[in-house]
Amino acid sequence: MKYKKLILVVGILLSIPLIMFLVWIVYPKTKFVLAIVDKTVLDKDAQEHVSLSWILNYEKYAKTSEKRYQADHDYYGFFPEDKNHYSLKGLERFSEQQLDQLSIDADAVYFTDTYGVYTNEWYTERKKADQNAVIYGGLSKQDLVLLNLMKKKHKLIISEFNTIGSPTKLENRLQFEKLFAMRWTGWTARYFSSLDTSKNSELPRWLIKNYENTHQKKWKFKRSGIAFVNEAAAVVILEDTTHLTQPIPSIETSITGQSKYNLPASIKYPFWFDVIVPDTLINHAVSKFKIATNLAGQEELKRFGIPQNFPAVLEHDAPDYRFFYFSGDFCDNPVSIKSSYFKGIRFLDFLFYNRSDAMDRSAFFWTFYRPMLTEILKESK
């Protein structure tokens, strides 16, 4: 009798994934034309926008009435091919008429990454000491034309971290800032679990060199902390205990944002983000980055003009157009596209991440990015 019960339980457990997959199969497709721009694709896994592809596949959004999105080719940007070979299929090849047609056809546009691809990343035989030149990247004039057209047509526009950072030209950045009533301060930042050069071999050499040039003193940090990097190569370090009461930056979400987008009140975010300043008459912050400084940390930020709190999710939600700017590298998470074929798997998300590990990007996907973007797309649909 015990063996029969055990077999029954095992059978039920094994049937759950099959049922979830069959439900996903019969779930109806919804046509939703999303123009995805990704200029930083180093392999066919398309890591920089795979989180977006996961959501599109899970929710059964389709680019036509029948064809679903595929992460490796349904985007505009850099396309890796065989070793050291690539093709460029960005908006730069579009005429004004083609861009206008795209703005008519597309329900929304999402700029997931414009940082681009560089020689030291792409050509594996090159030495790291060689000049690291950009192969392709930056927000282009054609990108701006499409953004302007989408805004005029009252469409959904999403962009995120580094959309207007290097290697985007200054004139293009200024146009973007004017178009969407926000300003990049020139600062980007991220958390490092150890600032000790003897323990953390992954600390960038340029970070240490630029800090020493900025402050005219040696790098002597030993604990964890946050590195702020300016486009002019200035570096500011906030070290745990010395400058910080909590070393890992957090994203704090308003009560309205929690309710509207199913977001947690607070979540740690130890990855790259940029510091932006919005026009609060036009945009509002759904979520904000919070740097937990002590008095010494406050003084250090103030000395370099860096705000202590700034938007993590910026929103313009009005009849004229919908706009979101994600200040972090939100779309880059290590999720498997295979799991998106199982309807209801979001209720088992705890199986896919370590809740106590702030460095687990999968946790950020399941608890913040997935619920937020799902709601944004549903509203637009």
Side-chain angles (χ1 to χ4, degrees):
M1 181 65 70
K2 290 183 179 179
Y3 290 115
K4 289 182 178 179
K5 288 183 178 179
L6 179 62
I7 292 171
L8 178 63
V9 170
V10 171
I12 292 173
L13 291 175
L14 291 176
S15 68
I16 290 174
L18 177 60
I19 293 170
M20 293 167 69
F21 177 69
L22 292 175
V23 172
W24 180 87
I25 287 288
V26 300
Y27 196 82
K29 296 183 183 73
T30 300
K31 183 181 177 183
F32 184 81
V33 181
L34 179 61
I36 304 167
V37 178
D38 189 349
K39 303 187 180 187
T40 316
V41 182
L42 291 171
D43 55 50
K44 294 187 178 181
D45 290 336
Q47 179 64 41
E48 292 294 334
H49 65 262
V50 71
S51 297
L52 170 60
S53 298
W54 192 101
I55 293 169
L56 293 173
N57 194 60
Y58 179 79
E59 298 293 341
K60 295 294 284 287
Y61 289 120
K63 59 184 180 180
T64 68
S65 57
E66 293 298 327
K67 292 184 179 179
R68 291 179 289 107
Y69 288 91
Q70 296 186 45
D72 61 348
H73 68 262
D74 288 321
Y75 67 96
Y76 301 100
F78 187 94
F79 284 75
E81 296 173 356
D82 296 332
K83 183 179 178 181
N84 290 346
H85 292 88
Y86 61 87
S87 58
L88 301 180
K89 301 176 184 178
L91 299 178
E92 293 76 20
R93 63 205 167 106
F94 279 38
S95 66
E96 288 190 13
Q97 291 78 11
Q98 289 173 317
L99 290 169
D100 185 59
Q101 187 61 52
L102 178 58
S103 71
I104 294 169
D105 296 338
D107 297 298
V109 61
Y110 191 152
F111 280 73
T112 64
D113 203 301
T114 67
Y115 176 72
V117 176
Y118 291 73
T119 52
N120 278 351
E121 298 169 308
W122 183 250
Y123 296 110
T124 54
E125 74 277 5
R126 291 178 65 92
K127 296 179 180 178
K128 293 296 181 182
D130 291 345
Q131 184 179 2
N132 193 19
V134 63
I135 297 173
Y136 175 69
L139 193 72
S140 69
K141 290 181 179 179
Q142 290 81 4
D143 295 331
L144 283 164
V145 169
L146 177 63
L147 287 168
N148 198 19
L149 289 167
M150 294 292 284
K151 180 182 176 182
K152 288 180 178 178
K153 291 180 173 65
H154 320 299
K155 303 289 186 77
L156 171 64
I157 299 162
I158 307 173
S159 62
E160 64 175 60
F161 169 75
N162 208 72
T163 294
I164 52 177
S166 178
T168 294
K169 294 178 180 178
L170 177 59
E171 61 183 289
N172 292 349
R173 180 204 304 173
L174 294 175
Q175 286 185 46
F176 182 95
E177 291 175 337
K178 183 178 180 181
L179 192 62
F180 297 113
M182 55 165 282
R183 178 177 61 84
W184 177 43
T185 63
W187 291 97
T188 60
R190 68 156 288 181
Y191 165 80
F192 287 93
S193 58
S194 175
L195 295 169
D196 190 337
T197 54
S198 65
K199 295 179 180 179
N200 188 354
S201 59
E202 295 184 359
L203 280 170
R205 274 194 236 172
W206 59 262
L207 181 68
I208 299 165
K209 179 183 176 182
N210 289 350
Y211 172 84
E212 293 177 345
N213 290 339
T214 301
H215 300 270
Q216 295 300 301
K217 60 181 179 182
K218 289 291 184 181
W219 179 284
K220 295 182 179 180
F221 301 105
K222 299 297 180 182
R223 305 185 187 95
S224 61
I226 305 169
F228 287 86
V229 182
N230 187 272
E231 59 179 334
V235 172
V236 174
I237 301 295
L238 299 186
E239 187 180 30
D240 186 24
T241 307
T242 308
H243 306 99
L244 299 166
T245 57
Q246 166 55 252
I248 306 178
S250 62
I251 297 177
E252 313 287 331
T253 300
S254 65
I255 293 175
T256 302
Q258 293 173 49
S259 174
K260 187 176 181 181
Y261 297 116
N262 296 322
L263 293 174
S266 178
I267 186 172
K268 297 289 188 294
Y269 190 80
F271 314 111
W272 283 107
F273 57 89
D274 47 25
V275 182
I276 66 166
V277 177
D279 182 338
T280 55
L281 295 177
I282 297 176
N283 300 314
H284 69 273
V286 175
S287 305
K288 292 184 178 181
F289 277 108
K290 180 180 179 181
I291 309 299
T293 60
N294 55 25
L295 186 59
Q298 290 175 25
E299 290 298 320
E300 193 71 356
L301 290 179
K302 186 177 180 181
R303 186 156 71 97
F304 287 88
I306 304 171
Q308 190 171 341
N309 298 292
F310 42 89
V313 177
L314 190 66
E315 178 182 26
H316 176 84
D317 188 8
D320 53 348
Y321 69 99
R322 292 193 74 208
F323 169 74
F324 290 86
Y325 185 84
F326 306 153
S327 296
D329 201 5
F330 286 3
C331 199
D332 182 2
N333 301 288
V335 294
S336 171
I337 198 71
K338 293 178 182 178
S339 60
S340 66
Y341 290 89
F342 298 89
K343 204 65 179 172
I345 201 167
R346 63 188 181 88
F347 297 110
L348 303 174
D349 60 3
F350 59 89
L351 299 173
F352 298 94
Y353 65 89
N354 183 351
R355 191 176 294 273
S356 62
D357 184 5
M359 300 299 292
D360 186 356
R361 296 188 81 116
S362 297
F364 180 78
F365 169 80
W366 287 102
T367 61
F368 194 97
Y369 182 80
R370 188 206 62 78
M372 176 182 65
L373 192 65
T374 298
E375 290 303 316
I376 290 172
L377 296 181
K378 280 182 179 178
E379 284 186 3
S380 293
K381 179 186 69 175

